[in-house]
Amino acid sequence: MSAVAVHSLWTTAAEPIAKIDAPKIEYGQLSPTLIVIGAALVGVLIEAFVPRKSRYYAQVFVSVVALAAAFAAVVALAAGGYGTTKAHIAAMGAIAVDGPALFLQGTILLAGILGVFTFAERRLDPEAHGNRVDSFAAQAASVPGSDSEKAAVKAGFTTTEVFPLLLFAIGGMLVFPSANDLLTLFIALEVFSLPLYLLCAVARRKRLMSQEAAVKYFLLGAFASAFTLFGIALLYGYAGSVSYAEIARVVDGTVTNVDPALAGTMGNDVLLLIGAAMVVMGLLFKVGAVPFHMWTPDVYQGAPTPVTGFMAAATKVAAFGALLRLLYVVLPGLRWDWRPVMWAVAIVTMLGGAIVAITQTDIKRLLAYSSIAHAGFILAGVIAASPDGVSSVLFYLAAYSFVTIGAFAVVTLVRDAGGEATHLSKWAGLGRRSPLVAAVFAVFLLAFAGIPLTSGFAGKFAVFKAAAEGGAGALVVVGVISSAIAAFFYIRVIVLMFFSEPKPEGPTVAVPSPLTMTAIAFGVAVTLVLGVAPQYFLDLASQAGIFVR
């Protein structure tokens, strides 16, 4: 190498480095997430420093106050116009503050408050050794059936760590639908997935089944995360950026300044198509769409029921929010490529969930397959690829999440000597033994089935209408057929409860504390209000349906 070349190498390396700008963070606009994560950290400190007797009360208080404060912050941002006129990209391009983000964050926070109520329930099981017990293992670290576990139960220990774990999961879920670059999306995915893997493993009864559910969820979730990350790497190779707006510009062909180092791969459609497919695959896994649904029934059945209810509601809201943003903000230029694939996924998901649910004999597995069918119905709104599609999906998610938490809260009440009686045969004659509980569960089942005057009907109508106007009429026909199939097994459970003779050795219905009562009452109220007078909330969803670019 000549001396001149060496000299030029040295001189270019020694040029003054440009000044690094200090990050500009809009703390006020990120306040809902910051409040929740801050409270989660406080919860960790409570575990370390507060005496064992007082931890439960301290954790429940901190969790409820934090989630209520975060919800108030979301409402304040929406009232301040950040959902409409002032919508913009905050945190140096990492987070979008816009209508869909605020609407979904509000839904997740309300679901989180109800989740805390069901987590905190301690009146369903008889007292053990003079101590009240909840749904969670006395000491999660002890081996099921071991002496240390028996000692922990005898001493009256409780796993209060579930509350900070719940808050961390909610914190990740708040970022997930509002992430505006692929790295933020991935970090949020991990932040809310890891606590959920742990929460699935800490059931007090049927501990081995609970741990098996957690391992299945963790292994399959790790696969899905790996696919997502590989897809992110390919999209970065395609666009030279992880920012949603930059990728969208490269897809549209409106990018101007191309980095010479990236000119070779930039705009390579193979990278785009495979990368987009992999990221979407990771999101469809979280949503529980066929063929990425295999974890759903096992995890829903094995996890503690309060965790199942929260997870079924909030994870869907967060994952669909992220999926909408990805398809509508990053890949609108690829619409002709992703719509046929989504058509296929939606059809298989609607029919698969509805048909397999008919064969289920366990109430939690039945609700799991029902949630898979609902993922298919929501995908019909995603496929509409129109503002109406976005607002109908937002409305459906809000309606669905409260029905789900309410339904799983009712499942926790029906108990026998072994804990929850989840086998369908045990629900026979429940309407004679406890008419109120059976009636409430019937309301939730009718909402799932989409019967008029329930939130389920208003949600399905909105989604199918948007899909039909978006040119997906055939999909609506499949959706209606799936709904009819699904109605069969929901009605079957209602018939079983009200028109069968109760068995003498059948389960009892526990009387819950006001916490679970509140969660169930709120679920019923939302179901009926959104069913009878949905217009205000449909308008709210349509105002919130515009993504910021």
Side-chain angles (χ1 to χ4, degrees):
M1 196 186 281
S2 70
V4 179
V6 171
H7 178 68
S8 72
L9 281 177
W10 286 111
T11 48
T12 48
E15 282 172 6
I17 296 165
K19 191 157 79 28
I20 296 172
D21 293 326
K24 179 172 168 294
I25 306 292
E26 298 86 342
Y27 291 104
Q29 290 153 42
L30 305 181
S31 55
T33 311
L34 296 175
I35 291 168
V36 172
I37 297 287
L41 296 172
V42 171
V44 173
L45 295 175
I46 289 173
E47 285 300 312
F49 295 112
V50 173
R52 200 182 277 276
K53 285 262 184 293
S54 317
R55 279 181 205 167
Y56 165 81
Y57 300 101
Q59 293 283 22
V60 174
F61 176 75
V62 167
S63 304
V64 172
V65 168
L67 293 172
F71 182 71
V74 168
V75 172
L77 286 171
Y82 283 104
T84 48
T85 48
K86 290 192 195 166
H88 72 122
I89 308 293
M92 308 199 47
I95 303 280
V97 181
D98 58 7
L102 292 176
F103 188 93
L104 294 166
Q105 286 178 341
T107 306
I108 291 166
L109 288 165
L110 283 179
I113 293 174
L114 299 185
V116 171
F117 287 169
T118 55
F119 275 42
E121 177 59 61
R122 300 179 93 174
R123 284 207 197 151
L124 299 177
D125 272 321
E127 293 189 355
H129 306 290
N131 297 299
R132 285 188 173 170
V133 296
D134 53 18
S135 303
F136 302 99
Q139 192 163 14
S142 54
V143 177
S146 64
D147 291 339
S148 68
E149 183 183 49
K150 287 170 190 155
V153 172
K154 200 166 182 183
F157 291 176
T158 53
T159 303
T160 41
E161 297 96 318
V162 294
F163 295 103
L165 284 173
L166 177 73
L167 289 175
F168 278 121
I170 293 171
M173 286 175 187
L174 294 180
V175 177
F176 200 54
S178 59
N180 197 57
D181 69 48
L182 292 167
L183 282 183
T184 311
L185 180 87
F186 182 73
I187 290 166
L189 174 73
E190 292 306 300
V191 168
F192 85 75
S193 297
L194 294 172
L196 288 178
Y197 301 149
L198 287 171
L199 285 170
C200 287
V202 293
R204 179 177 287 270
R205 309 288 184 106
K206 299 182 182 155
R207 289 211 42 208
L208 288 172
M209 193 172 171
S210 168
Q211 292 178 356
E212 180 195 354
V215 170
K216 282 178 178 167
Y217 191 21
F218 171 65
L219 291 175
L220 289 168
F223 263 108
S225 295
F227 273 115
T228 309
L229 195 57
F230 196 36
I232 288 170
L234 294 177
L235 285 176
Y236 176 71
Y238 165 78
S241 169
V242 288
S243 156
Y244 283 6
E246 282 298 315
I247 298 171
R249 274 195 211 106
V250 180
V251 173
D252 295 341
T254 53
V255 70
T256 46
N257 50 341
V258 178
D259 187 327
L262 295 165
T265 61
M266 209 157 162
N268 180 337
D269 285 350
V270 176
L271 290 179
L272 170 66
L273 291 170
I274 298 176
M278 286 183 143
V279 176
V280 168
M281 198 164 22
L283 295 177
L284 289 176
F285 171 86
K286 278 293 166 207
V287 165
V290 178
F292 313 105
H293 67 294
M294 287 308 189
W295 59 278
T296 312
D298 291 345
V299 174
Y300 280 26
Q301 186 183 9
T305 307
V307 175
T308 307
F310 167 73
M311 194 167 75
T315 309
K316 262 202 179 31
V317 177
F320 267 114
L323 184 64
L324 277 175
R325 192 176 294 279
L326 190 75
L327 295 179
Y328 281 58
V329 177
V330 186
L331 305 172
L334 269 190
R335 187 170 300 164
W336 300 112
D337 295 296
W338 62 252
R339 270 190 80 170
V341 178
M342 286 297 185
W343 263 74
V345 171
I347 288 171
V348 179
T349 305
M350 287 190 281
L351 289 172
I355 292 168
V356 180
I358 293 175
T359 63
Q360 299 306 312
T361 55
D362 184 279
I363 194 80
K364 283 168 81 174
R365 288 184 83 85
L366 184 132
L367 290 174
Y369 279 106
S370 136
S371 85
I372 293 169
H374 281 282
F377 299 141
I378 301 172
L379 280 172
V382 175
I383 288 167
S386 64
D388 277 354
V390 178
S391 56
S392 69
V393 169
L394 296 181
F395 179 84
Y396 199 121
L397 289 169
Y400 171 81
S401 53
F402 297 113
V403 180
T404 304
I405 290 184
F408 279 106
V410 173
V411 172
T412 62
L413 304 184
V414 182
R415 309 179 87 80
D416 57 17
E420 290 160 10
T422 56
H423 198 277
L424 271 179
S425 61
K426 295 187 176 169
W427 287 58
L430 193 72
R432 314 230 178 138
R433 192 165 275 161
S434 180
L436 181 63
V437 170
V440 166
F441 197 61
V443 169
F444 291 137
L445 289 174
L446 291 172
F448 280 136
I451 303 299
L453 298 184
T454 63
S455 58
F457 175 75
K460 269 186 190 158
F461 185 79
V463 167
F464 288 162
K465 178 168 170 275
E469 287 172 356
L475 198 62
V476 176
V477 175
V478 177
V480 172
I481 293 168
S482 307
S483 296
I485 298 170
F488 167 75
F489 60 81
Y490 296 128
I491 307 285
R492 193 183 70 183
V493 177
I494 296 174
V495 169
L496 184 76
M497 290 194 297
F498 287 101
F499 300 105
S500 301
E501 285 299 320
K503 291 181 181 169
E505 75 286 356
T508 55
V509 174
V511 178
S513 68
L515 293 168
T516 297
M517 285 182 191
T518 307
I520 294 173
F522 192 84
V524 172
V526 170
T527 303
L528 295 176
V529 169
L530 293 187
V532 177
Q535 199 52 51
Y536 170 76
F537 298 95
L538 284 166
D539 293 343
L540 195 68
S542 63
Q543 285 168 14
I546 311 297
F547 287 104
V548 64
R549 301 240 166 154

